Every structure is written in C-alpha cells, then in structure tokens.
Amino acid sequence: MDYTHLAVQASEAKKHSHSPYSRFRVGAALLTTDGRIITGCNVENSSYGLTICAERTALFKAVSEGEHSFTAIAIASDEDSFTPPCGACRQVIYELAGNIDVVLTKKNGRYITKKAIDLLPHPFDGKNLKKTRRKKPR
Ligand code: THU
C-alpha cells in the first residue's frame, strides 16, 4: 500500500504541534475506510501529564466527528529515525481502530508500515471485561 500522501499529511499536521516543553513535534494522519484524512498533533501542558500525543488527538477528533472505521495512521516527527507510537497510543489505536496499518515515517518522508497488533501483542480489550461487566447499571 502506498502511504506517501498520508505520510505527507502527518508531516503537515506536525506544524501545529504545541510542544514548548519537549520541543518534540509530532503529527499524525488517520485514514478512514472511505478515504477521509483526519489529522492531529501533540498538545503539551505545563502540568506535563496532561499532554496528549498526536495519534490520540487524531483518533479522538475522528471519533468525536462520527468516524469509526479506519485503515491506517501515519506518524511524523522531526527525527531521522522512524517514529513509533508510544505505549498509550498503541492501546488507543487498537481499541478505536483495530488492527490497522501504522505508518512510521522519517523526517525525509520515508516510511515503514506495521500492523497495530504487532505493536501491541496480546492486547487488553473489551473482551477482557466481559466476565465482570454488569448486565444492568445500578
Ligand atoms: N508524543 C507523541 O505525540 N506521540 C508519541 O507516540 C510519542 C510522544 C509526544 C508527547 C510529547 O509532547 C512529546 O512527544 C515528547 O514525548
């Protein structure tokens, strides 16, 4: 699959990064099954733990706009090495988008593609909650 355009969109989204603390700019571009692209960037906070990554920004934007079916997400930073999603984002990618293609890009635009499940082996998901889930809310 050619993800050149998606990689460019992730790099463009990086320009909106709000990262005054880490100075590490990240952009993400999420592709829906009907061809729409939803972008996101990292948005940092002086209370560091409130920072949100680019991938989760894109995913939460998409879901909040009614999108639920995705084929790929591309991730871009300013690094010369392929930028992978952090552990928290791997969990959220798998939860909200399933086993999609995760496109890791380099600053020069080159990319490699991984399946989400290969980045998050033996995932925790909704199926693990079934036994304890209540039938009716109290
Ligand atoms: N960051 C992302 O946006 N995505 C990742 O998958 C890794 C980390 C951001 C969070 C923080 O703003 C900065 O990169 C440094 O960790």
Side-chain angles (χ1 to χ4, degrees):
M1 188 67 188
D2 183 354
Y3 287 121
T4 308
H5 180 63
L6 198 65
V8 169
Q9 293 302 112
S11 184
E12 284 293 308
K14 183 184 68 182
K15 294 177 182 168
H16 300 298
S17 168
H18 177 72
S19 43
Y21 304 106
S22 72
R23 305 266 172 216
F24 190 80
R25 301 189 306 165
V26 186
L30 181 63
L31 181 63
T32 68
T33 46
D34 50 13
R36 197 179 155 205
I37 292 176
I38 294 136
T39 60
C41 65
N42 56 332
V43 182
E44 297 187 346
N45 194 282
S46 53
S47 179
Y48 297 163
L50 301 184
T51 291
I52 185 163
C53 295
E55 300 90 319
R56 279 176 290 149
T57 301
L59 281 155
F60 295 158
K61 272 177 68 183
V63 170
S64 72
E65 292 172 16
E67 298 288 356
H68 294 283
S69 183
F70 309 102
T71 59
I73 187 168
I75 304 154
S77 78
D78 295 310
E79 295 297 303
D80 290 327
S81 53
F82 296 112
T83 300
C86 78
C89 288
R90 292 175 195 213
Q91 176 72 21
V92 175
I93 290 168
Y94 193 76
E95 174 89 19
L96 296 179
N99 192 21
I100 61 169
D101 287 342
V102 182
V103 181
L104 316 184
T105 78
K106 277 187 189 183
K107 194 172 146 190
N108 66 7
R110 287 185 185 268
Y111 64 83
I112 53 172
T113 303
K114 305 274 183 192
K115 296 304 286 190
I117 193 67
D118 295 324
L119 297 176
L120 190 71
H122 198 67
F124 180 86
D125 64 20
K127 290 192 287 295
N128 300 106
L129 295 173
K130 275 201 177 122
K131 281 185 189 138
T132 54
R133 206 158 51 199
R134 290 198 186 93
K135 292 256 165 18
K136 286 182 194 161
R138 280 200 290 184

